[in-house]
């Protein structure tokens, strides 16, 4: 409304408005450089009258972003079945040109998710992405996303090693000395350990929450929340209308791959016993390279539309969601599950030993909702089919799928349309959020060798963009692998 008024009165021209927006975003970036992940600006989405929120200022903002070619701001585009095609194509053109700072979020899934979580129908239209892609009601919800970060692979690793963490030698619990006579009994034991560790984590978080108002009250943030003003309570005292605590669950791809590998290697093909597999993993596959390569390269992997692997992922995520989403958080709300990892797939990987799927100790785990790096061998359609089989209305703390495309796949006049079609297809299958990287492994290798020539090459790290040359060697290798450049 301010923009329209100033244009109508001749206070400024469209180009002057664009220049002001550039100044704002440059100043904003300068103020937030210490925050690696930046801050999110949200566009589009359904309005209460059934129309779309896209307007001339949305178009102007994306024009400005494309001209600036900077890694920040990061942007959210809310999408629904009737979203204007022209706006989505404009965003896709940015992606084609290597400006990958946009995450798409699905109103058609998130509205039912909010209602399922007890949000008022009139509030759901005002959701935004908190942080990277964690959905929350603007001004009314303290979602506390990422209150707990949880490695879904760790319960499996602990189970294989009798309750002891091989990385630290610390025993977290005892596993009864008994043989698992079937894969079903092993799988059920994994779910039992998963429950034990999740419940322990949420109990510890409730103890921490009880001290929040004394340790770190937030009067400035509280002043932006109408319910806090009305009640006279700080956000740390559950003053907001909705008070949630997020549990980030990472590495579902690695979990599905490892469960499938245990089933095949131990219980069906009998290449080793469960005890022998545990010893092999403890030694990081030393002396068993042939078996490791078989597990890594010959066994199917999550993200390839394989029914059995997809079912493992569906059962594990559904089991975790039922536990988390019904558990009180100690501040009048409940915990809520997120299925994402951001870059913790690498930090968790460093703390995780070798896994049955052929992964070596210390290597990264699968990222967000996607496959392990380079393991989505049947292409983007199969990856979307696998991810679309999960119930994304069960992940109120967010879920996001990363898609990596070769530049040749989106070249030409139809390239932007392909990106839009992928977004719409994933969302029609029930996906919650999706983001893209468009590069090839060879370009990334050249950028690593001659960084001065690739100063403006951007990558979507997790929920934010960065210059490729600014990433650590470990992170650079991860993106090369995701582009199919390394046999991991």
């Amino acid at each position: 409304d301010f923009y329209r008024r100033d244009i109508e009165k001749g206070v400024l021209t469209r180009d002057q408005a664009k220049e002001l927006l550039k100044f704002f975003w440059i100043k904003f970036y300068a103020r937030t450089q210490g925050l690696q992940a930046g801050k999110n600006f949200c566009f589009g989405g359904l309005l209460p009258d059934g129309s779309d929120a896209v307007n001339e200022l949305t178009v102007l903002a994306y024009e400005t972003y494309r001209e600036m070619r900077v890694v920040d701001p990061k942007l959210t585009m809310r999408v629904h079945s009737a979203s204007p095609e022209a706006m989505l194509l404009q965003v896709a053109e940015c992606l084609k040109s290597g400006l990958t700072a946009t995450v798409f979020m699905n109103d058609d899934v998130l509205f039912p998710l909010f209602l399922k979580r007890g949000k008022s129908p009139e509030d759901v239209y005002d959701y935004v992405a908190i942080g990277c892609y964690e959905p929350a009601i603007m001004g009314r919800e303290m979602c506390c996303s990422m209150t707990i970060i949880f490695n879904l692979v760790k319960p499996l690793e602990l189970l294989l090693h009798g309750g002891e963490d091989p990385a630290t030698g610390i025993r977290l619990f005892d596993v009864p000395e008994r043989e698992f006579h079937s894969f079903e009994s092993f799988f059920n034991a994994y779910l039992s350990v998963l429950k034990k560790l999740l419940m322990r984590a949420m109990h510890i978080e409730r103890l921490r929450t009880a001290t929040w108002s004394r340790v770190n009250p937030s009067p400035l943030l509280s002043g932006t929340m109408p319910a806090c003003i009305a009640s006279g309570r700080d956000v740390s005292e559950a003053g907001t209308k909705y008070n949630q605590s997020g549990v980030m669950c990472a590495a579902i791809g690695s979990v599905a791959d490892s469960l499938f590998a245990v089933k095949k290697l131990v219980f069906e093909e009998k290449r080793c016993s469960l005890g022998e597999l545990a010893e092999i993993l403890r030694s990081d596959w030393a002396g068993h390279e042939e078996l490791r390569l078989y597990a890594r390269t010959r066994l199917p992997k999550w993200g390839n539309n394989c029914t059995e692997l997809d079912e493992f992922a569906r059962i594990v995520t559904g089991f975790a969601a039922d536990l988390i989403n019904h558990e009180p958080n100690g501040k009048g709300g409940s915990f809520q599950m997120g299925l994402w990892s951001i870059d913790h797939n690498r930090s968790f990987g460093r703390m995780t030993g070798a896994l049955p799927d052929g992964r070596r100790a210390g290597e990264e785990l699968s990222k967000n909702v996607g496959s392990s790096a380079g393991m989505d061998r049947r292409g983007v359609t199969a990856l979307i089919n696998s991810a679309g089989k999960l119930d994304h209305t069960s992940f109120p703390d967010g879920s996001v799928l990363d898609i990596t495309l070769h530049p040749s796949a989106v070249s030409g006049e139809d390239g932007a349309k392909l990106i839009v079609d992928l977004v719409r297809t994933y969302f029609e299958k029930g996906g919650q959020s999706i983001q893209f990287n468009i590069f090839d492994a060879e370009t990334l290798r050249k950028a690593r060798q001659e960084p001065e020539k690739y100063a403006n090459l951007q990558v979507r790290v997790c929920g934010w963009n960065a210059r490729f040359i600014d990433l650590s060697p470990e992170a650079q290798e991860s993106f090369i692998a995701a582009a199919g450049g390394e046999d991991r």
Side-chain angles (χ1 to χ4, degrees):
D1 291 338
F2 293 112
Y3 170 77
R4 287 170 175 163
R5 184 193 64 188
D6 287 350
I7 292 292
E8 290 169 1
K9 291 185 175 182
V11 175
L12 79 169
T13 66
R14 190 176 189 275
D15 285 343
Q16 288 172 331
K18 188 184 291 185
E19 186 175 21
L20 284 173
L21 188 53
K22 288 180 180 178
F23 283 140
F24 171 68
W25 272 342
I26 290 171
K27 186 73 170 179
F28 194 94
Y29 178 60
R31 289 283 186 174
T32 61
Q33 281 190 76
L35 303 173
Q36 178 190 25
K39 288 296 178 184
N40 216 321
F41 292 84
C42 187
F43 298 92
L46 271 173
L47 294 173
D49 65 1
S51 64
D52 190 89
V54 166
N55 54 48
E56 59 267 39
L57 190 54
T58 316
V59 174
L60 185 78
Y62 264 92
E63 283 182 18
T64 304
Y65 164 63
R66 189 171 183 181
E67 291 174 10
M68 292 176 70
R69 300 195 67 83
V70 291
V71 296
D72 207 38
K74 62 181 184 181
L75 310 172
T76 296
M77 177 55 64
R78 283 176 44 183
V79 178
H80 53 93
S81 57
S83 287
E85 187 80 356
M87 188 67 239
L88 297 184
L89 288 171
Q90 183 185 2
V91 179
E93 288 290 350
C94 291
L95 295 171
K96 268 185 62 178
S97 66
L99 302 173
T100 50
T102 296
V103 61
F104 299 90
M105 299 184 75
N106 186 3
D107 282 10
D108 295 334
V109 162
L110 284 162
F111 280 17
L113 179 153
F114 286 128
L115 296 175
K116 186 176 173 180
R117 296 289 292 169
K119 306 292 197 302
S120 299
E122 63 272 17
D123 287 342
V124 301
Y125 297 95
D126 287 331
Y127 87 82
V128 294
I130 300 297
C132 298
Y133 22 67
E134 305 99 281
I137 307 300
M138 177 130 177
R140 296 176 179 85
E141 181 172 5
M142 192 66 185
C143 73
C144 292
S145 65
M146 214 168 153
T147 298
I148 295 171
I149 57 175
F150 192 91
N151 179 355
L152 290 170
V153 174
K154 207 64 179 179
L156 178 62
E157 182 184 26
L158 291 167
L159 179 62
L160 285 167
H161 297 289
E164 179 183 299
D165 185 347
T168 63
I170 297 173
R171 181 171 295 279
L172 296 179
F173 55 86
D174 290 318
V175 175
E177 291 291 336
R178 61 185 177 86
E179 277 293 323
F180 293 105
H181 297 292
S182 67
F183 174 75
E184 288 71 23
S185 63
F186 178 82
F187 189 23
N188 287 333
Y190 164 75
L191 296 177
S192 177
V193 175
L194 175 62
K195 178 179 180 178
K196 181 193 297 285
L197 296 183
L198 276 173
M199 297 303 287
R200 178 183 293 178
M202 289 187 284
H203 171 67
I204 292 171
E205 182 52 37
R206 276 191 293 268
L207 297 177
R208 292 203 309 166
T209 297
T211 69
W212 182 11
S213 62
R214 299 194 305 276
V215 173
N216 189 28
S218 305
L220 181 59
L221 178 59
S222 301
T224 69
M225 302 284 191
C228 289
I229 300 296
S231 67
R233 296 200 313 273
D234 191 85
V235 293
S236 62
E237 299 171 315
T240 49
K241 184 174 182 179
Y242 308 112
N243 297 282
Q244 314 299 334
S245 300
V247 182
M248 182 203 84
C249 294
I252 186 57
S254 294
V255 170
D257 293 347
S258 293
L259 286 169
F260 184 82
V262 170
K263 183 179 182 184
K264 285 294 181 182
L265 298 178
V266 176
F267 293 98
E268 292 186 359
E269 298 177 359
K270 301 188 185 302
R271 294 174 180 265
C272 57
S273 69
L274 199 60
E276 289 169 341
L277 178 60
E279 287 303 312
I280 290 170
L281 297 179
R282 193 178 285 273
S283 70
D284 198 13
W285 297 95
H288 298 275
E289 183 64 6
E290 184 176 342
L291 182 63
R292 188 191 76 83
L293 289 175
Y294 176 79
R296 192 65 171 167
T297 63
R298 296 293 296 276
L299 294 182
K301 297 292 186 290
W302 158 259
N304 293 285
N305 199 26
C306 174
T307 300
E308 195 167 4
L309 281 151
D310 294 346
E311 183 67 3
F312 285 145
R314 190 191 66 79
I315 293 172
V316 170
T317 55
F319 180 86
D322 284 343
L323 283 175
I324 295 167
N325 294 337
H326 295 97
E327 190 69 17
N329 63 359
K331 54 181 180 179
S334 64
F335 289 98
Q336 55 184 22
M337 178 176 174
L339 191 63
W340 45 284
S341 64
I342 55 171
D343 52 354
H344 283 285
N345 66 309
R346 291 198 296 273
S347 60
F348 279 168
R350 288 192 290 270
M351 297 183 286
T352 304
L355 293 177
D357 65 350
R359 173 192 159 278
R360 291 192 182 279
E363 291 183 345
E364 67 179 51
L365 304 173
S366 62
K367 185 164 77 170
N368 293 327
V369 184
S371 66
S372 297
M375 292 293 112
D376 50 337
R377 297 166 179 153
R378 294 187 180 179
V380 63
T381 303
L383 179 59
I384 284 175
N385 281 333
S386 285
K389 294 174 186 176
L390 305 178
D391 179 7
H392 292 268
T393 67
S394 294
F395 312 135
D397 203 49
S399 70
V400 66
L401 177 65
D402 297 79
I403 298 292
T404 299
L405 298 174
H406 193 280
S408 64
V410 294
S411 62
E413 295 181 1
D414 295 331
K417 181 65 164 58
L418 171 67
I419 294 171
V420 173
D421 287 347
L422 288 174
V423 172
R424 289 199 185 276
T425 298
Y426 183 53
F427 285 179
E428 287 172 4
K429 288 182 173 293
Q432 187 183 126
S433 300
I434 190 171
Q435 58 191 12
F436 291 84
N437 267 308
I438 299 173
F439 47 59
D440 62 280
E442 185 57 32
T443 298
L444 298 185
R445 287 197 190 96
K446 290 178 179 177
R448 191 165 57 178
Q449 295 165 1
E450 301 177 282
E452 68 280 358
K453 295 182 180 180
Y454 295 87
N456 293 321
L457 177 61
Q458 297 183 26
V459 294
R460 180 80 174 171
V461 178
C462 292
W464 62 88
N465 264 26
R467 297 195 309 164
F468 180 77
I469 64 173
D470 291 338
L471 299 177
S472 67
E474 177 192 22
Q476 290 178 343
E477 182 60 34
S478 173
F479 283 106
I480 292 172
E486 297 287 346
D487 182 3
R488 300 297 294 270

